[in-house]
Amino acid sequence: MTQSKALAYHQSLTGALEQAQWQSLTRRGALRTAVVAAGGATVMLTGPALIGYRSAMAQDFAGPVDVLNYALTLEHLEYTFYRTFNQQFSGMELEMAGFASIVRTRLESIEAHELAHVDVLTDVIGQLGGTATTEMMYSFGVTDVASYVATAGVLENLGTGAYTGAAQFLIDNDDLLTAALTIHGVEARHASYLNVLNGTSPFPEAFETALTPAQVLEAATPLIVGAMPDTGTGSTANDGGTSLGILAAAGAMGIGAAALAARRRESRSDEQAMPAGV
Amino acid sequence: MPALHTLFLEAISEERAHSVSRRTLFGSGAKLVAGGAVAMAAVASPAFARVAAAQDFSNDIDVLNYALTLEHLEYAFYRDGLASFSAGLFEDGVYDNLVDIRDHEDAHVVALVDTIVSLGGTPVAEAVYDFGYQNVAGFLSVAAALENTGVSAYDGAAAAIENVDLLNAAGTIVAVEARHASYLNFVNGDDPFPSAFETPLTPTQVLEIATPFFVQ
């Protein structure tokens, strides 16, 4: 696959997002409202019937390759994130920040999962005759262990919402749908665990909020700063960035910046408070 | 068109095989929990053998009743268990989270019943169950088995759903089941996410796990 095609894919995402971001500037305060509207779909589930819930974005993808590339875009982001910060922060630093020693193992396990997701999605897209999007350069705004773990929580909850919202686009491909759901469940497991580490409820709602591609990309795109250098061996940028994307992601999940900061402060020793042997 | 997704399945199957053998190498094989769901996931189930769900259900109402059968089981489990154990018997915070899980299962039951009725179907009723636990540790172990099985059940049945709205709704439930499963594995001292991929189970496999809980 060529770098230019991957770049073109991301540019098309970015283009789609510029509009969303422009809109979000004018309704930043209303972002919550938008989420409430998305959440409203979920609320309907608890109403008379499950029928009637539908994401408005059924026309978002031209076919399964597009859906899988959408998923792959997020998996690249996640894998790079864990690879970068598992390398940057030692187990000792995690413990110094108040996390039990097992947390290091768990974060490595999550990294391995995201890599497996990247590999599988890339393989399948290729086998379907498509062009798999590649890893980009990202800026996550992580400054310390606490913000690493807090950001991980945001990314996993975002990923869960993304798969929840996108699974419907694979309804005509039973096996792809099933396969996507087997990834979806693991993202939800990660999200649950990271919420525990961050001192928030592992399962805040009875029904997951399905996020539309527009919502997800609005949150994720600010984290993508550009294509990898042509050498393909460039390191990932993660410094000098702002937390804007993360805050947008948090906003997309109805989490205020203040709550995010509070989480960071609280992200001590939650796992230590849990049963021994974890 | 050649079987496009068989390729996907094979690729994932391969990944799973790798991760299973890696786990074995590290000597941290899945613990046997009540019901054996985890063991099944790790060992017995051909991970991506074509899900048999499509021919197991004649329509969406069947799928919803299958899900409802499991949700009834889960809700009754938490309702009765939490009524019989006091909060002080659990580690800090665990009881409150179990209350949330109980309420989620209740919400799933209500939503599924309403939907089945609105589709003109007849929702299955709650049955009588015996979960066989003797104490809090046993209760938590069964809880994890139920939740992990629930995730696999939804993943195995989703492809049988024909209505896109119902598929979306099922997706919003299965993610929450996976969150529960992760947490309960954690509370039991097990890996919250033992594999990079969930294992879909067929209704036959799920019923094998669940049937012993039903009192006839």
Side-chain angles (χ1 to χ4, degrees):
Chain A
M1 77 154 294
T2 67
Q3 200 59 252
S4 62
K5 277 189 179 174
L7 188 55
Y9 178 71
H10 277 286
Q11 281 168 342
S12 73
L13 295 187
T14 306
L17 277 190
E18 274 168 7
Q19 190 181 357
Q21 285 174 352
W22 170 250
Q23 287 168 348
S24 84
L25 285 177
T26 60
R27 60 179 167 83
R28 177 59 65 180
L31 184 57
R32 260 189 118 82
T33 312
V35 175
V36 169
T42 306
V43 170
M44 287 177 63
L45 296 184
T46 61
L50 302 175
I51 284 280
Y53 166 58
R54 176 193 289 274
S55 165
M57 311 293 281
Q59 69 283 16
D60 274 0
F61 299 106
V65 166
D66 278 2
V67 183
L68 299 178
N69 260 326
Y70 169 62
L72 180 56
T73 300
L74 293 176
E75 299 289 355
H76 273 307
L77 185 80
E78 291 183 329
Y79 167 58
T80 308
F81 173 79
Y82 290 104
R83 187 191 64 211
T84 302
F85 297 112
N86 280 340
Q87 189 170 39
Q88 181 169 327
F89 299 116
S90 67
M92 183 65 75
E93 283 171 289
L94 284 163
E95 291 185 48
M96 298 276 286
F99 293 104
S101 61
I102 189 72
V103 172
R104 171 69 180 186
T105 307
R106 299 290 182 235
L107 292 171
E108 286 172 349
S109 173
I110 296 176
E111 177 187 336
H113 292 174
E114 308 303 1
L115 175 58
H117 299 166
V118 166
D119 286 348
V120 164
L121 289 166
T122 300
D123 273 6
V124 174
I125 289 166
Q127 287 161 3
L128 291 172
T131 300
T133 187
T134 55
E135 183 177 316
M136 305 293 282
M137 293 182 68
Y138 310 95
S139 178
F140 296 105
V142 167
T143 55
D144 54 15
V145 167
S147 61
Y148 171 31
V149 176
T151 304
V154 171
L155 291 180
E156 296 292 345
N157 283 284
L158 180 70
T160 305
Y163 276 95
T164 304
Q168 62 176 322
F169 303 120
L170 296 171
I171 193 168
D172 293 329
N173 299 265
D174 284 358
D175 293 339
L176 288 179
L177 170 64
T178 302
L181 288 174
T182 68
I183 297 177
H184 174 227
V186 173
E187 299 292 335
R189 286 175 185 265
H190 295 167
S192 176
Y193 179 75
L194 284 157
N195 282 7
V196 170
L197 292 185
N198 284 308
T200 60
S201 171
F203 20 72
E205 301 290 343
F207 300 92
E208 196 72 31
T209 299
L211 298 177
T212 65
Q215 289 172 316
V216 171
L217 295 173
E218 177 175 337
T221 297
L223 306 180
I224 301 172
V225 296
M228 293 288 278
D230 277 343
T231 60
T233 56
S235 62
T236 303
N238 61 62
D239 52 358
T242 71
S243 297
L244 178 63
I246 287 303
L247 294 177
M253 291 179 298
I255 301 165
L260 192 63
R263 269 200 210 180
R264 292 178 183 182
R265 285 193 300 275
E266 285 170 9
S267 60
R268 324 264 168 215
S269 74
D270 290 303
E271 178 141 9
Q272 288 178 324
M274 299 311 296
V278 173
Chain B
M1 201 117 157
L4 296 177
H5 358 291
T6 0
L7 303 168
F8 198 177
L9 306 190
E10 281 166 7
I12 293 181
S13 223
E14 199 176 314
E15 283 298 327
R16 280 189 53 83
H18 286 162
S19 79
V20 167
S21 64
R22 270 200 304 275
R23 282 217 310 279
T24 309
L25 281 178
F26 285 114
S28 59
K31 266 192 196 173
L32 250 181
V33 295
V38 170
M40 241 181 128
V43 183
S45 169
F48 283 91
R50 213 184 147 77
V51 178
Q55 61 267 28
D56 284 325
F57 303 105
S58 54
N59 55 45
D60 283 350
I61 290 174
D62 275 4
V63 185
L64 296 178
N65 261 324
Y66 171 62
L68 179 57
T69 301
L70 294 173
E71 298 288 356
H72 273 311
L73 184 77
E74 291 182 330
Y75 172 57
F77 170 79
Y78 292 106
R79 180 194 60 208
D80 298 347
L82 292 180
S84 66
F85 296 122
S86 65
L89 295 172
F90 297 85
E91 299 277 345
D92 279 355
V94 171
Y95 188 88
D96 288 346
N97 280 327
L98 293 174
V99 167
D100 282 349
I101 296 177
R102 178 199 67 197
D103 292 347
H104 293 172
E105 308 304 0
D106 189 21
H108 298 167
V109 166
V110 169
L112 288 165
V113 166
D114 285 355
T115 302
I116 291 167
V117 168
S118 77
L119 291 174
T122 304
V124 295
E126 186 181 311
V128 179
Y129 314 102
D130 178 5
F131 296 101
Y133 55 80
Q134 310 288 333
N135 50 33
V136 164
F139 175 73
L140 290 172
S141 177
V142 175
L146 289 178
E147 297 291 347
N148 283 284
T149 303
V151 176
S152 290
Y154 274 96
D155 279 354
I161 298 174
E162 289 171 0
N163 180 304
V164 72
D165 294 333
L166 295 178
L167 175 62
N168 278 325
T172 68
I173 294 177
V174 67
V176 173
E177 300 291 335
R179 286 174 181 269
H180 296 168
S182 175
Y183 179 73
L184 285 157
N185 283 5
F186 169 69
V187 166
N188 280 289
D190 293 322
D191 191 338
F193 22 76
S195 172
F197 303 93
E198 299 291 341
T199 302
L201 293 178
T202 65
T204 305
Q205 291 171 312
V206 169
L207 293 176
E208 258 175 48
I209 294 167
T211 298
F213 295 132
F214 286 78
V215 175
Q216 246 0 40

